Amino acid sequence: MIEQIRAARDAALASLASAASSDDVRTVELEVLGRKGTLTDLKAGLGRLPTVEAKKAAGQALNDATAEVSAALAARLGEFRRAEREVQLHAERLDLTEVLRAPRRGHAHVVTQAWQRLEDVFVGLGFQVAEGPEVETDWYNFEALNMPAAHPARSMHDTFYVDHGPPGSTVLRTHTSPVQIRVMQTMPPPIYMVMPGRVFRNETADATHLAVFHQIEGLVIDRGITLADLAGTIEAFTKAFFGPGFGSRLRPSYFPFTEPSAEFDIQTPSGSWMELGGCGMVHPNVLRAGGIDPEEYSGFAFGFGIDRMAKERHAINDVREMYANDIRFVEQF
Ligand code: PHE
């Protein structure tokens, strides 16, 4: 019996030594210690031994063999578990290196860039920046700018009306000029201010017009300001913004809120002229509406389209493309 026990033990230890996986180890366990296992069978035979001493000796040998085999089983199983865990971890490894690559960064829209550059250039010339509301009263948008109710110039501003207050009393501002009045009302001269912002006109969009666009307004009020200061400021701005090879000129024009009024053009180094905006000496009625005495102070104002500037600067054919939000278009600028 004891010979059989040792043989079974040695066979079990040999199978364990040559096991190739944790499954193999479990198979050996079943074959030796399972319900029909070799050592289990021998244990069942203990009762048939003739003497107490023989039973005792065989029982002891059986316990020793079982303990030895169990220890070997646990050791081999531990080895395979670690190895198999390694394999599994490797197989389930997620490749996160893509996340480590810097994500593509966005940038300011081409019109925002033009807006910011314009502010920078005017701040460099000594101006401050102010903004006003997009929803305005008829008084600020027209009346205070020397355009009373029946004024023909009003028909040039295709106005969006807002359903608020008495009919016709509230508008989406058609230009940034109402901010001139608000600035005059909030600070005493000297005023050297630019006022960028969004404006609205009820017209059908085409390659050169949008119903929603942007302007930048300029306002200077001080003692002894003349048309020469206006022309000089436009010239200094042109050279600072476009480059030293550029020039400017004023052409007589008409706006109700300036007198005299002019359009201003800029000349490219190749000699061609480009119309940019309107300007003039602030009308005495406008100074008075802003609470400023026209006998004491004079000033000039100008206004032009920011979207137009971006369009000309980058030779964009159609202003509508700037707001179509096609990433292939906007990422070019
Ligand atoms: N507000 C005028 C426009 O929108 C531009 C302008 C501003 C003209 C200031 C003169 C002075 O066309």
Side-chain angles (χ1 to χ4, degrees), residues 69-328:
V69 171
S70 295
L73 266 167
R76 288 296 272 154
L77 208 56
E79 276 171 44
F80 285 119
R81 284 232 177 94
R82 272 194 298 282
E84 283 160 15
R85 182 102 183 104
E86 276 302 305
V87 170
Q88 187 192 9
L89 282 178
H90 194 79
E92 291 179 358
R93 200 173 138 236
L94 289 178
D95 183 1
L96 300 179
T97 49
E98 201 177 11
V99 177
L100 296 174
R101 193 161 42 100
R104 266 173 49 181
R105 287 182 62 189
H107 64 266
H109 187 268
V110 61
V111 172
T112 309
Q113 290 177 39
W115 175 323
Q116 289 170 347
R117 263 199 79 224
L118 286 164
E119 281 189 10
D120 287 350
V121 167
F122 280 112
V123 166
L125 293 174
F127 284 75
Q128 290 180 284
V129 181
E131 288 186 34
E134 295 174 352
V135 178
E136 267 296 9
T137 62
D138 176 87
W139 189 82
Y140 279 103
N141 196 78
F142 294 120
E143 195 84 34
L145 290 165
N146 204 28
M147 276 185 277
H151 199 287
R154 282 192 179 212
S155 60
M156 289 172 60
H157 295 224
D158 307 282
T159 310
F160 281 116
Y161 288 93
V162 177
D163 187 4
H164 176 78
S169 65
T170 310
V171 304
L172 294 184
R173 66 179 179 191
T174 58
H175 51 175
T176 43
S177 297
V179 194
Q180 287 185 33
I181 306 296
R182 291 185 176 274
V183 166
M184 288 187 239
Q185 286 179 333
T186 47
M187 66 188 285
I191 295 169
Y192 291 82
M193 194 72 81
V194 286
M195 297 145 270
R198 185 154 54 168
V199 301
F200 308 84
R201 293 209 189 156
N202 188 0
E203 55 191 349
T204 308
D206 62 28
T208 54
H209 296 87
L210 291 165
V212 180
F213 55 105
H214 302 84
Q215 288 187 333
I216 185 161
E217 191 86 9
L219 178 69
V220 168
I221 311 278
D222 208 341
R223 290 195 171 86
I225 296 292
T226 70
L227 193 70
D229 298 307
L230 168 58
T233 302
I234 298 287
E235 182 72 9
F237 158 74
T238 301
K239 290 195 164 17
F241 188 84
F242 292 98
F246 286 75
S248 67
R249 73 176 175 197
L250 303 187
R251 269 182 298 116
S253 186
Y254 173 78
F255 297 101
F257 30 92
T258 46
E259 181 59 34
S261 301
E263 306 272 348
F264 65 93
D265 303 336
I266 64 152
Q267 189 175 34
T268 66
S270 65
S272 63
W273 289 96
M274 179 182 111
E275 186 183 319
L276 206 63
C279 61
M281 301 305 292
V282 181
H283 195 286
N285 289 350
V286 175
L287 289 172
R288 272 190 284 269
I292 289 171
D293 179 1
E295 299 298 328
E296 189 178 354
Y297 290 103
S298 59
F300 63 79
F302 56 85
F304 55 88
I306 299 176
D307 316 75
R308 275 277 314 279
M309 299 267 300
K311 176 181 181 291
E312 297 300 331
R313 177 144 187 263
H314 299 287
I316 294 165
N317 292 325
D318 189 327
V319 282
R320 289 170 295 188
E321 284 198 273
M322 297 198 289
Y323 296 99
N325 281 339
D326 184 331
I327 191 72
R328 293 164 302 181

